[in-house]
Amino acid sequence: MKWWMIIAVAATMFTVAGCSNDSTEESEPTNTEQDTETMEKESEENAAELPFTHPLTGMKSEYEAKNRPVAVMINNHPAARPQTGLVDADVVYEVLAEGEMTRFVAIFHSTLPEEVGPVRSAREYHIELVNGYDAAFVTHGWSPGAEQQLRAGRTDYLSGLQYDGSLFQRSSDRRAPHNSYITFENIKKGIEQEGYEWEAEVTPLTFYTNDDIQVVGNAASEVVINYLNRNEVTYSYDETTGMYRRFNGEMQTVDYRTDEPLEAANLFIVETSHRVVDDAGRREINVTEGGRGLLIQSGIANEVMWKNIDGKILPVDENGNEMPLKPGLTWINIVPSSPGMDESVTYN
């Protein structure tokens, strides 16, 4: 059971080209066509009846989420997979930490899962990504630079170093440092205990409406990202749902507790400069400069640019205008500009 339940309905629209002839009689639709038309009409009507739209997913809902976004630093080490609660995020950044392993900055707003984790430590560029959503940041540890920023009040945060064994709990299923978890009940408790704001107005992202989703570009039913030739991430498009499912190597990304698969509506791959800055292999990653991007939606890929707009990494066209997203989860993979997308990303 989720601590905060969401009921949302989204409809994916398809353009059907009709054929004309000289006859004035129209052919009767088949049962399959009738069923499809009925389902689409009912879906549109149901979505139209829902009074609210979640600002970070574009999904219709019967309730308005008044909480502020919460960003959780989630572990992606093989010993931490599969993760818990990740499938309920609105936006996820996947970015390298040390070595070839990535970590996730998962931003939750429309749905707050009962539990989330494993929670891992933060780096300075993670804080930049969190601040774009004015989110409360949940982390378990930090690099020296990230510690300095957080202690200086760069963003509101909860640290497992301070609350290990109280707000944060260790799972007996896994070994440290891959076993730190926190419930959203404890996140809310910690935010209020620290004197941070829990409620906030959230600036919406830009989404297609149900009748104008564009699907023009290059076929991308399978997308593979190779992080430094050691960590392979694959996305597979499911035509029945219109969503992408994620795999790390051969392991599908599902929820540890429920086996629910992660499904992303938007894949956004961005290229940016990475630089190793210390003997521990920590990196400096530029998340503000802009550059090349690959926006993938509904089985189609388009080469675009990315721009940091008010702290958020977003797709823009050749004129710098923000491009709309498909309603649902947006997953953003940040890859090094060397070797770059041309060598590290393939799709077909």
Side-chain angles (χ1 to χ4, degrees):
M1 294 291 294
K2 292 181 175 64
W3 182 74
W4 189 292
M5 297 299 294
I6 175 175
I7 302 175
V9 179
T12 303
M13 302 298 294
F14 298 87
T15 302
V16 179
C19 298
S20 62
N21 54 39
D22 294 336
S23 173
T24 58
E25 295 182 0
E26 296 183 0
S27 60
E28 292 293 327
T30 64
N31 289 338
T32 301
E33 290 173 338
Q34 288 176 329
D35 291 342
T36 300
E37 290 173 2
T38 300
M39 290 174 62
E40 289 180 351
K41 183 176 180 180
E42 290 177 351
S43 181
E44 291 172 22
E45 290 174 349
N46 290 338
E49 291 172 0
L50 296 173
F52 301 105
T53 302
H54 288 305
L56 302 185
T57 65
M59 301 288 285
K60 293 287 187 178
S61 174
E62 67 174 7
Y63 78 93
E64 181 181 17
K66 295 184 178 181
N67 55 282
R68 73 185 297 185
V70 175
V72 183
M73 197 74 237
I74 297 184
N75 195 342
N76 190 37
H77 188 279
R81 304 171 193 156
Q83 294 84 2
T84 299
L86 183 63
V87 297
D88 291 316
D90 290 1
V91 178
V92 178
Y93 288 101
E94 180 170 5
V95 57
L96 284 165
E98 289 74 71
E100 74 281 3
M101 283 297 104
T102 58
R103 293 184 187 176
F104 307 138
V105 178
I107 299 168
F108 299 87
H109 180 251
S110 63
T111 302
L112 306 182
E114 183 176 348
E115 183 182 51
V116 64
V119 186
R120 202 64 168 91
S121 59
R123 303 294 178 260
E124 293 163 83
Y125 46 89
H126 298 140
I127 299 171
E128 293 279 353
L129 299 173
V130 169
N131 280 344
Y133 290 85
D134 193 25
F137 191 23
V138 178
T139 181
H140 198 135
W142 39 42
S143 64
E147 177 184 11
Q148 183 180 19
Q149 289 192 14
L150 290 172
R151 290 193 183 280
R154 182 77 189 283
T155 194
D156 296 344
Y157 73 95
L158 298 177
S159 174
L161 296 180
Q162 180 180 358
Y163 291 110
D164 200 358
S166 53
L167 297 179
F168 293 73
Q169 297 293 327
R170 297 284 184 172
S171 170
S172 60
D173 294 347
R174 293 170 174 170
R175 295 182 179 180
H178 313 298
N179 64 347
S180 175
Y181 294 82
I182 188 169
T183 64
F184 261 87
E185 182 178 5
N186 278 349
I187 290 174
K188 184 174 186 290
K189 178 181 177 181
I191 287 173
E192 293 175 342
Q193 184 174 303
E194 291 287 342
Y196 304 144
E197 293 293 330
W198 172 248
E199 294 189 359
E201 291 188 12
V202 178
T203 302
L205 300 176
T206 301
F207 293 94
Y208 289 114
T209 59
N210 289 337
D211 59 354
D212 66 357
I213 294 176
Q214 303 297 311
V215 287
V216 178
N218 300 309
S221 294
E222 183 175 87
V223 182
V224 179
I225 303 173
N226 193 331
Y227 278 99
L228 305 179
N229 294 318
R230 300 189 187 102
N231 180 17
E232 187 172 276
V233 179
T234 301
Y235 299 94
S236 180
Y237 183 61
D238 185 339
E239 291 186 357
T240 61
T241 63
M243 301 293 169
Y244 283 89
R245 296 193 172 189
R246 182 185 181 279
F247 297 79
N248 234 140
E250 296 182 355
M251 178 180 284
Q252 185 175 359
T253 304
V254 300
D255 189 85
Y256 182 53
R257 305 297 184 194
T258 67
D259 283 333
E260 177 185 352
L262 186 140
E263 295 184 323
N266 305 283
L267 305 178
F268 189 33
I269 305 169
V270 302
E271 181 183 273
T272 186
S273 59
H274 291 49
R275 184 169 68 92
V276 176
V277 294
D278 61 21
D279 293 339
R282 297 188 184 95
R283 289 181 166 87
E284 178 183 276
I285 299 178
N286 193 315
V287 296
T288 62
E289 64 187 355
R292 299 172 63 203
L294 190 66
L295 180 61
I296 305 171
Q297 305 160 316
S298 300
I300 298 296
N302 281 285
E303 294 185 10
V304 299
M305 302 298 289
W306 72 268
K307 185 178 180 180
N308 186 301
I309 302 175
D310 297 326
K312 303 178 183 72
I313 291 180
L314 297 172
V316 296
D317 61 22
E318 63 275 10
N319 297 316
N321 299 315
E322 185 179 344
M323 300 177 68
L325 300 170
K326 180 177 176 178
L329 165 64
T330 297
W331 191 283
I332 303 170
N333 281 90
I334 300 175
V335 302
S337 54
S338 178
M341 289 195 303
D342 293 337
E343 295 185 34
S344 59
V345 181
T346 59
Y347 60 91
N348 56 62

